[in-house]
Amino acid sequence: MITNSIYGLTFEQLAAWLLKHGHKQYRASQVWEYLYRKRVTNFSEMTEVNKDCIVLLEENFVIHTLSHHVKQEASDGTVKFLFKLKDGNLIETVLMRHKYGLSVCVTTQVGCNIGCSFCASGLLTKTRDLSSGEIVEQIMNVQHHLDNAGNGEKVSHIVVMGIGEPFDNFENMIDFLKVIIDQKGLAIGSRHITVSTSGIVNKIYEFADTNIPVNLAISLHAPNNDLRTKIMKINRAYPLEKLMDSINYYIEKTNRRITIEYILLKDVNDHIDEANELAALFQDKKKKVYINLIPYNPVDEHSQYQRSEQESVLAFYDTLKKNGINCKIRQEHGTDIDAACGQLRSKQIKKEKDNSITL
């Protein structure tokens, strides 16, 4: 069975592959336009591509490697997709509506091994990396969903913040970025793309060196080593000192601003003391750092953590602002569905397991 996704090839890779198989460069441009501008769902719909090339593509690639398994729609227009992969694994992708456009949050791995103690994504350990094609196809499936609605809407922003650690699937993630920013295809602006990492330091250096001008976000969630190690085991391997060195390198190399993600956990990391520590940590680079304060979405399996009180959230925010730190409280999306990343997947797997036991 053919499982290689055509979406897994960058334009350069597609052109090289077709050239190797006896076709000229312009064939790659034709195929690329059909995939990303005309957004066909079958190779036979590429009517301007000659039959020999169509047969060659059909013999070596598929367009569909994901199928819709569950879809949830929230009252604010957020749509959460649970896709089934060819091997039966499940992944989540989320479409969010903002004033500035339509944003899609994509998944990069089946499960996650980072093991943050508050996160629903890590409830199920990593099974495997997604291919670059499987990551791209999440965008394409969401875009096809929009196309079918007939309102002329287009995905405009991407956040690589779904299930998994993107920098633990680095090469496939990079190929994914090259595909979606290609001006002959989806042409999603690089400034409209953000990749998030929990802090794999060596890959932050490597990411800076790629010179791909997309945004970087760091999942920090604590301003000191003791607290961060308690809630994020990755801090044992990459303590704050090493992480901060890599952040400094990234800023110096790219001259780009970094987003710091900070989930507020009640009576854990939401005190004024932590706010002051966080402000001090970034005081010397406050012009290049933007802190995103994130209300916590409670997870049944992590009942030790609760959402911070609104009073605490506002006090934390005010403390950062008084210290000259640029920050905001993230607007929530899809609060009336399984909002935590990975929650829909874990619930569906549990449901299917319980059903199989009952049968």
Side-chain angles (χ1 to χ4, degrees):
M1 182 175 67
I2 303 167
T3 58
N4 294 327
S5 172
I6 188 70
Y7 293 127
L9 298 178
T10 66
F11 180 80
E12 290 73 18
Q13 290 167 347
L14 175 63
W17 188 87
L18 286 171
L19 184 64
K20 180 181 177 181
H21 289 80
H23 293 273
K24 295 183 178 180
Q25 171 100 12
Y26 75 89
R27 286 290 179 218
S29 297
Q30 284 183 323
V31 172
W32 198 259
E33 182 177 0
Y34 272 110
L35 288 173
Y36 297 108
R37 292 294 175 91
K38 298 179 180 179
R39 295 192 283 276
V40 300
T41 57
N42 195 296
F43 288 120
S44 63
E45 296 174 58
M46 298 181 177
T47 53
E48 295 176 11
V49 179
N50 71 21
K51 290 184 179 180
D52 289 344
C53 187
I54 294 294
V55 171
L56 181 67
L57 292 172
E58 289 175 335
E59 289 176 345
N60 289 275
F61 300 103
V62 293
I63 293 181
H64 300 292
T65 63
L66 313 182
S67 59
H68 288 252
H69 194 62
V70 175
K71 183 173 72 174
Q72 292 181 327
E73 298 193 40
S75 57
D76 65 1
T78 299
V79 183
K80 196 165 193 178
F81 300 88
L82 189 67
F83 293 122
K84 179 172 279 190
L85 306 174
K86 286 289 187 183
D87 60 8
N89 279 303
L90 300 173
I91 60 169
E92 289 179 19
T93 308
V94 183
L95 168 67
M96 295 166 286
R97 294 183 176 274
H98 303 273
K99 291 180 181 179
Y100 55 75
L102 298 178
S103 176
V104 176
C105 179
V106 298
T107 283
T108 54
Q109 295 179 314
V110 180
C112 184
N113 280 343
I114 299 301
C116 300
S117 61
F118 49 82
C119 182
S121 295
L123 291 171
L124 298 164
T125 57
K126 173 184 164 183
T127 303
R128 67 173 176 87
D129 292 329
L130 294 187
S131 68
S132 55
E134 289 170 325
I135 308 174
V136 173
E137 195 180 343
Q138 293 171 63
I139 306 296
M140 298 309 300
N141 270 287
V142 173
Q143 186 58 57
H144 288 144
H145 164 80
L146 295 170
D147 291 343
N148 292 336
N151 298 319
E153 294 182 309
K154 187 175 182 297
V155 173
S156 60
H157 292 68
I158 305 294
V159 289
V160 188
M161 298 182 182
I163 298 169
E165 163 55 62
F167 281 10
D168 189 37
N169 187 14
F170 193 81
E171 297 303 326
N172 287 331
M173 187 268 296
I174 293 296
D175 279 350
F176 158 75
L177 293 176
K178 290 178 180 178
V179 170
I180 64 172
I181 66 177
D182 190 289
Q183 291 303 303
K184 299 179 292 297
L186 290 176
I188 295 174
S190 56
R191 292 181 180 273
H192 294 172
I193 302 168
T194 300
V195 178
S196 177
T197 177
S198 57
I200 300 180
V201 164
N202 59 311
K203 293 300 180 182
I204 294 174
Y205 286 101
E206 190 173 345
F207 189 62
D209 291 339
T210 65
N211 292 317
I212 298 176
V214 302
N215 303 308
L216 177 64
I218 306 289
S219 295
L220 192 72
H221 311 314
N224 60 68
N225 279 321
D226 287 345
L227 181 55
R228 194 166 191 261
T229 300
K230 287 178 182 177
I231 63 176
M232 299 178 70
K233 67 180 184 181
I234 192 171
N235 201 68
R236 299 169 193 164
Y238 304 109
L240 277 176
E241 294 80 9
K242 291 183 178 180
L243 180 57
M244 293 304 294
D245 285 345
S246 70
I247 289 173
N248 288 334
Y249 179 85
Y250 178 88
I251 291 172
E252 291 172 7
K253 176 78 176 184
T254 68
N255 197 34
R256 298 184 66 80
R257 186 174 68 170
I258 283 184
T259 297
I260 302 297
E261 298 173 308
Y262 195 99
I263 290 177
L264 289 160
L265 305 169
K266 183 179 179 180
D267 296 329
V268 176
N269 66 349
D270 63 348
H271 308 98
I272 298 299
D273 286 346
E274 280 91 42
N276 281 318
E277 280 188 89
L278 186 61
L281 195 61
F282 293 102
Q283 194 61 223
D284 65 339
K285 55 183 71 62
K286 58 187 177 183
K287 291 183 179 180
K288 287 295 183 180
V289 169
Y290 182 88
I291 296 181
N292 209 357
L293 300 176
I294 307 170
Y296 180 59
N297 289 313
V299 178
D300 291 343
E301 294 85 350
H302 298 315
S303 58
Q304 73 272 33
Y305 296 117
Q306 298 298 321
R307 177 182 291 230
S308 294
E309 302 289 347
Q310 184 69 3
E311 182 180 353
S312 298
V313 173
L314 293 176
F316 201 100
Y317 171 85
D318 287 341
T319 301
L320 293 178
K321 295 294 280 187
K322 288 175 183 176
N323 280 278
I325 302 296
N326 193 7
C327 64
K328 75 169 184 177
I329 301 169
R330 180 186 287 179
Q331 181 183 355
E332 296 183 82
H333 294 272
T335 52
D336 52 338
I337 56 177
D338 297 302
C341 178
Q343 198 168 29
L344 176 58
R345 175 176 176 262
S346 61
K347 285 186 175 182
Q348 187 65 27
I349 289 174
K350 184 178 185 300
K351 179 181 176 182
E352 293 180 5
K353 183 177 179 181
D354 290 345
N355 287 344
S356 66
I357 292 172
T358 301
L359 294 173

